[in-house]
Amino acid sequence: MRLFLFMMLLLFSGKLVAQETRIAFGSCANQKDSLFIFDTLQKHHPETFIFLGDNVYLDNQNKDTICLKYDSLAHKSAFQRLKATTPILATWDDHDYGLNDAGKELPIKELSKIVFLDFFGEAACSNRWKHEGIYDVRYIKQDGLTIQILLLDTRTFRDSLTHFNGGPVPRDTLNYWPEYSPNTSISSELLGEAQWVWLETQLMMPADVRIVCSSIQFAHSFNGYESWNNFPFERKRFVDLITCTQASGVVFISGDVHLGEISKSEIDAGYPLYDITSSGLSMKWHAPTYNLNRIAGPVMQNNFGLLTVKRQNNIPTLQFQLIDVNNESQAELSIPITDLQFK
Ligand SMILES: [Fe+2]
């Protein structure tokens, strides 16, 4: 009887009630726009919001101009309301790195990093100040689950892109003009060696779920724009690293492309690799892009991503949604974490 009363007490105090963890994410927020989509996002009370890049459109190498553009975002009322209620994590893409489609050659990347980390209030003791680039790891622990959040830096170390040269998809297969073809040099780099070493260490740390935050898409098929497909050796290296480290629970989230979609890679790592692309918070694209790996979408209206981690039949499950400004879910995927484990 005493045990029964104790259990009832715990139940009503919330200790035995399985909790949900909500993580919102998004990309491509032009500081000139209203960004009212942040108000829709807050209705879901996420534990954190992850900015996946193109968080502000700098496209400039002058320090004063860069600071003014960040100021413009800081003074947006919708952003202020988001910041007041929701912890924000961030990585960058090209436009907040400094220049459209830029890589390691960008002269102002150190300045850009300082302004970025200052703006997002990076702690003085953070490792991000100590190494080159802005990659980082964070953890959320709730309801007995460890969620690892890997913030990649896909800009600071990235080699030159290869302009479209007719492959791997013939020009007339696409109903638009592609910009890039894969860089077929075996030595071509996207993450850079130091980030690869760091990533391997992180993948060996214990976690139930690993959210890989990549500004550019990972699991879609070639579409002629910027993505991991432009560095096929680096993409394969990532898949091989997951397999070698036996890192379960990996799922990618990405942005950049001004549309939302969910992709399932044509290659797996011992289990399927999914990529939930949310873009843009305020930017839009005029037509769907080519993607043979798309399993949901495309979502052509402004959207944010929402990951809800909850137990279904006592199995922790990842529920992904792409939600528009009217709070309507436009694409969904539910993944039991048992599907992201080596058999
Ligand atoms: Fe971008």
Side-chain angles (χ1 to χ4, degrees), residues 163-223:
H163 288 288
F164 184 71
N165 56 21
V169 174
R171 162 74 187 88
D172 54 10
T173 305
L174 310 172
N175 58 2
Y176 53 89
W177 187 257
E179 294 181 327
Y180 302 112
S181 283
N183 184 331
T184 53
S185 166
I186 197 165
S187 61
S188 58
E189 292 190 312
L190 200 165
L191 293 188
E193 207 51 40
Q195 188 170 191
W196 277 117
V197 170
W198 165 84
L199 182 60
E200 181 171 1
T201 305
Q202 302 311 317
L203 290 178
M204 290 192 293
M205 301 297 283
D208 300 291
V209 179
R210 303 171 201 274
I211 309 298
V212 179
C213 306
S214 169
S215 68
I216 53 174
Q217 290 183 290
F218 185 90
H220 70 130
S221 65
F222 172 85
N223 67 10

Side-chain angles (χ1 to χ4, degrees), residues 242-273:
I242 295 167
T243 307
C244 286
T245 56
Q246 291 285 287
S248 59
V250 172
V251 61
F252 290 80
I253 59 175
S254 60
D256 177 49
V257 289
H258 300 190
L259 58 83
E261 60 185 356
I262 300 175
S263 305
K264 182 180 180 183
S265 174
E266 76 286 1
I267 46 175
D268 67 29
Y271 58 84
L273 294 176

Side-chain angles (χ1 to χ4, degrees), residues 28 53-54 57 93-96 100-101 155 215-216 226 255-258:
C28 307
D54 297 337
Y57 281 69
D93 199 37
D94 50 345
H95 295 283
D96 40 357
N100 186 44
D101 292 357
R155 293 290 158 187
S215 68
I216 53 174
E226 263 217 280
D256 177 49
V257 289
H258 300 190

